[in-house]
Amino acid sequence: MNSEEKLRYIFEQLKKGIEREELSEKMGYKNYNSFKNFVRSKGYYWEKEGKRYVKGKKREAPKIKVDDSFRAKRVLMYFQDENADPKEVAKKLDFDNYKDMSNFMKMKGYLWSSKESNFVKKEEYLNRNLEELKNLDKYIELLELLSKNYGNLEEALNLNSGKVIKKYRIPGINTIKSIQIISSLNEMAREYSRAFNITQKNIFEVALIEFFQKYGFEREIKYLLGEKTEKANNIGV
């Protein structure tokens, strides 16, 4: 859809009574200001009385009978017109540029609000943000629970799979145990040992310990490893 087609579509939808905010979202604009800027760039301005876009010369900013010492109030009043161009407002009020005007408003206790398309008092701006943060309180308990159980979740989601293998320090002496296993598993153990540079002994020790932990011997494994025995010295894979 080119620019002309977009404009025709916008005007048609407005005639049907569709609000501009809803229309901007429907057309996929990032925000309402982007929608307004597009129409304004094509030479149209919003006529509040007729609730429509009209093409022609940009309207003069409203005349404000306020002394120049009240520049902050004048800035606010200029931006009451939603067609106000920030650069032009700064120029009309004798600021060097928009940044200069923004810094001036900060000194006067105002911050720019994208939602209002105008400057608002710092207290009002901060209160609004605090209200939004309060709405997040209900998630704090959930986040704390997730944090406390991250280890279990990590294991359950298998986030560490193929990344790090725990190496346990097990008390006792080495012994030889011969068992029969399926040839495909035996070959897989050999291949894994070569690929990740760890011994088959470590592979089977980790497998047995984690088996006992999951299937009924958790207390016995804790006793075997001892409180002072660390599960440290992870092997990077």
Side-chain angles (χ1 to χ4, degrees), residues 33-80:
N33 283 335
S34 298
F35 171 82
K36 290 193 300 183
N37 290 336
F38 165 72
V39 182
R40 187 186 303 161
S41 69
K42 301 304 176 183
Y44 291 86
Y45 68 87
W46 181 249
E47 186 182 71
K48 289 184 179 179
E49 295 77 11
K51 291 187 177 181
R52 60 177 182 170
Y53 280 107
V54 179
K55 191 164 187 177
K57 293 181 179 179
K58 184 172 284 189
R59 295 182 298 170
E60 292 294 324
K63 293 182 180 179
I64 305 166
K65 297 180 180 179
V66 182
D67 188 84
D68 285 344
S69 60
F70 297 98
R71 293 175 83 190
K73 290 183 179 179
R74 296 186 68 192
V75 170
L76 297 176
M77 295 182 75
Y78 270 107
F79 279 110
Q80 286 177 3

Side-chain angles (χ1 to χ4, degrees), residues 1-11 27 29 31-45 53:
M1 188 182 294
N2 59 35
S3 297
E4 291 301 321
E5 290 172 336
K6 281 185 180 180
L7 286 173
R8 282 198 299 271
Y9 178 75
I10 289 170
F11 299 152
M27 293 181 69
Y29 281 93
N31 52 53
Y32 178 47
N33 283 335
S34 298
F35 171 82
K36 290 193 300 183
N37 290 336
F38 165 72
V39 182
R40 187 186 303 161
S41 69
K42 301 304 176 183
Y44 291 86
Y45 68 87
Y53 280 107

Side-chain angles (χ1 to χ4, degrees), residues 78-222:
Y78 270 107
F79 279 110
Q80 286 177 3
D81 178 4
E82 66 173 34
N83 294 293
D85 186 315
K87 292 181 179 179
E88 290 187 10
V89 173
K91 184 178 179 181
K92 289 182 179 183
L93 294 177
D94 297 324
F95 291 102
D96 291 338
N97 48 49
Y98 174 76
K99 185 176 181 181
D100 186 29
M101 180 174 66
S102 180
N103 290 335
F104 168 79
M105 294 300 285
K106 284 181 183 178
M107 289 192 300
K108 295 298 180 182
Y110 292 89
L111 292 172
W112 178 257
S113 169
S114 298
K115 187 175 181 180
E116 298 292 334
S117 294
N118 203 340
F119 291 93
V120 297
K121 276 286 188 180
K122 285 182 181 178
E123 294 80 5
E124 183 182 349
Y125 182 89
L126 294 174
N127 287 336
R128 287 180 185 177
N129 283 280
L130 284 174
E131 285 299 320
E132 291 179 2
L133 287 174
K134 286 179 182 177
N135 292 331
L136 298 177
D137 285 348
K138 58 185 177 181
Y139 298 109
I140 292 177
E141 186 176 345
L142 175 60
L143 291 172
E144 290 177 347
L145 182 64
L146 290 172
S147 178
K148 289 178 182 178
N149 294 280
Y150 180 78
N152 294 333
L153 286 170
E154 184 180 47
E155 184 176 354
L157 295 172
N158 203 23
L159 296 179
N160 248 4
S161 178
K163 299 296 182 182
V164 175
I165 298 175
K166 296 176 182 177
K167 181 180 179 182
Y168 297 90
R169 294 178 182 173
I170 307 170
I173 60 175
N174 290 325
T175 59
I176 297 174
K177 183 173 181 62
S178 298
I179 59 172
Q180 291 184 341
I181 63 172
I182 300 300
S183 60
S184 56
L185 288 177
N186 182 49
E187 184 58 34
M188 189 178 296
R190 292 175 182 273
E191 182 63 26
Y192 196 96
S193 175
R194 289 192 295 268
F196 296 108
N197 195 30
I198 63 173
T199 65
Q200 293 185 54
K201 174 177 176 290
N202 282 335
I203 293 174
F204 289 113
E205 284 178 349
V206 171
L208 283 171
I209 287 174
E210 294 190 357
F211 175 87
F212 289 137
Q213 286 175 332
K214 291 181 180 179
Y215 298 105
F217 262 36
E218 183 178 1
R219 185 173 59 182
E220 286 78 357
I221 287 296
K222 285 182 179 179

